[in-house]
Amino acid sequence: MEPILLAIENSAVGTAIRQSAWLFPTVETAHVAALALVLSAIGVVDLRLAGVTLRERGVDELMRAVLPGAWVSFVLAAITGAALFASNAVTYAGNPAFQIKVALLLLAGVNMAVFHLGAQRRIAHWDPQTLPPAAARVAGGLSLLLWIGVVFAGRWIGFAA
Amino acid sequence: MEAFTDWLGATGASMTIQNVTWIIPSVQSVHILAIAVLLAAVVTIDLRLAGVTRRGPSLAALEMRFLPWFWIALAVLLATGLILVVGEPARELLNWLFYTKLVLVLAVTALTALFQLRVRADDGAWETTAARRAAGRILGGASLLLVAATITAGRWIAYVVV
């Protein structure tokens, strides 16, 4: 693992960010803004899936309106996140908060896949009911909790030695 | 101001925030979550105002559905921001970027209040004529830029050497 991490760290991107005074905060600002956008879009869908709010709108229609923007923001967050990681790959890989953040992101991905292959396949049967079925409500609530965890773990990276 | 930040930094409340290691990252995390909530409201309405998105509920309906979240999120942001100022007074109050951020927050709040008051008085206040739509595009675009500038200023506070 170590040689790969060192190679990432010594890549052109990693070196440039590490050696510049302004690149890290600039990329970090874009990362925080992109993550906040991801969260705002996913949060709206999650709250609707959980049946908490926006019950007058169908889940399918809401997802079509909101999720393309969420994906664009997610790609931006992933690219900027990878660049930040590259600037200090060895240290970040060993940072427990970073490890937890990656684990939570993977769990959020699994949760999304389970919803996609399960309750979402039957969406025509239950949408636009005001209250989605239990599987969809669980997916929404779980997603919200996981993404809140991603924010906490991410903020902790800078504080965990 | 330095006398004030010295005094504030020596108070019991500030000492607690400084010495309990989980308080600052937790409060910062809640601050970021509140930014996400505020963005859900602002971006939804500003993109529509700016003419980037066209379908879906009317601006008046979006205002009713999303803007209460703006004010809740703003209250949480001010409360968590205040805790962070008490915990690290010199980092914020001796920092020119902190005051820049405050001005930006005021501007975003003023534009949002302007949007809300006008659309509450008249459902079509930003949509029914070409002049109104043009004003809406300016308002939405300005608001988006100001929110982006606020987030940028906020993150850079940590990097300005006081």
Side-chain angles (χ1 to χ4, degrees):
Chain A
M1 200 65 184
E2 190 92 0
I4 303 172
L5 293 171
L6 273 174
I8 295 172
E9 199 164 310
N10 293 323
S11 65
V13 174
T15 308
I17 295 174
R18 190 168 54 254
Q19 290 177 349
S20 157
W22 59 269
L23 259 179
F24 189 92
T26 303
V27 177
E28 190 189 26
T29 299
H31 186 67
V32 174
L35 180 62
L37 280 172
V38 171
L39 205 77
S40 67
I42 288 185
V44 168
V45 173
D46 286 345
L47 287 173
R48 175 63 184 90
L49 272 179
V52 176
T53 186
L54 277 176
R55 290 195 187 187
E56 75 276 11
R57 284 176 80 174
V59 173
D60 198 43
E61 184 264 324
L62 189 67
M63 290 202 303
R64 281 173 205 279
V66 170
L67 290 186
W71 277 111
V72 172
S73 308
F74 179 79
V75 169
L76 183 61
I79 291 171
T80 50
L84 294 173
F85 176 78
S87 74
N88 243 320
V90 177
T91 310
Y92 282 130
N95 186 312
F98 176 80
Q99 294 165 356
I100 292 171
K101 182 178 179 181
V102 172
L104 291 171
L105 279 168
L106 290 174
L107 286 174
V110 170
N111 179 56
M112 188 180 66
V114 169
F115 171 70
H116 189 69
L117 298 173
Q120 200 183 356
R121 285 208 168 166
R122 301 183 298 273
I123 198 163
H125 298 292
W126 53 264
D127 196 41
Q129 282 168 30
T130 54
L131 195 62
R137 296 209 300 278
V138 168
L142 210 53
S143 169
L144 202 56
L145 288 178
L146 288 167
W147 279 100
I148 289 172
V150 167
V151 170
F152 271 81
R155 190 62 292 232
W156 234 278
I157 291 171
F159 291 84
Chain B
M1 187 52 92
E2 273 191 73
F4 177 71
T5 56
D6 286 347
W7 168 82
L8 185 56
T11 57
S14 182
M15 298 291 265
T16 304
I17 298 168
Q18 291 167 47
N19 294 328
V20 183
T21 50
W22 55 265
I23 295 182
I24 286 179
S26 300
V27 174
Q28 287 181 345
S29 298
V30 175
H31 200 74
I32 294 173
L33 288 171
I35 291 172
V37 173
L38 183 138
L39 282 182
V42 166
V43 172
T44 300
I45 287 169
D46 285 350
L47 287 180
R48 172 63 71 78
L49 272 174
V52 178
T53 51
R54 292 166 198 282
R55 289 185 299 171
S58 68
L59 270 170
L62 290 177
E63 183 272 321
M64 277 181 57
R65 223 45 178 107
F66 283 89
L67 271 197
W69 292 90
F70 174 92
W71 298 107
I72 293 168
L74 185 65
V76 174
L77 285 166
L78 293 176
T80 48
L82 185 65
I83 295 171
L84 294 170
V85 169
V86 172
E88 300 180 294
R91 177 188 190 260
E92 320 286 349
L93 299 177
L94 301 181
N95 192 326
W96 62 272
L97 203 48
F98 174 74
Y99 298 99
T100 309
K101 181 179 173 181
L102 281 190
V103 172
L104 290 167
V105 169
L106 269 179
V108 170
T109 308
L111 290 188
T112 306
L114 172 70
F115 165 77
Q116 185 169 32
L117 289 174
R118 301 240 13 222
V119 83
R120 286 219 169 159
D122 171 4
D123 276 359
W126 302 98
E127 290 170 304
T128 43
T129 68
R132 286 174 163 190
R133 283 192 293 276
R137 278 195 295 278
I138 293 168
L139 183 78
S143 173
L144 282 174
L145 285 176
L146 286 167
V147 169
T150 309
I151 292 174
T152 305
R155 188 63 293 226
W156 276 79
I157 285 174
Y159 294 93
V160 172
V161 180
V162 178

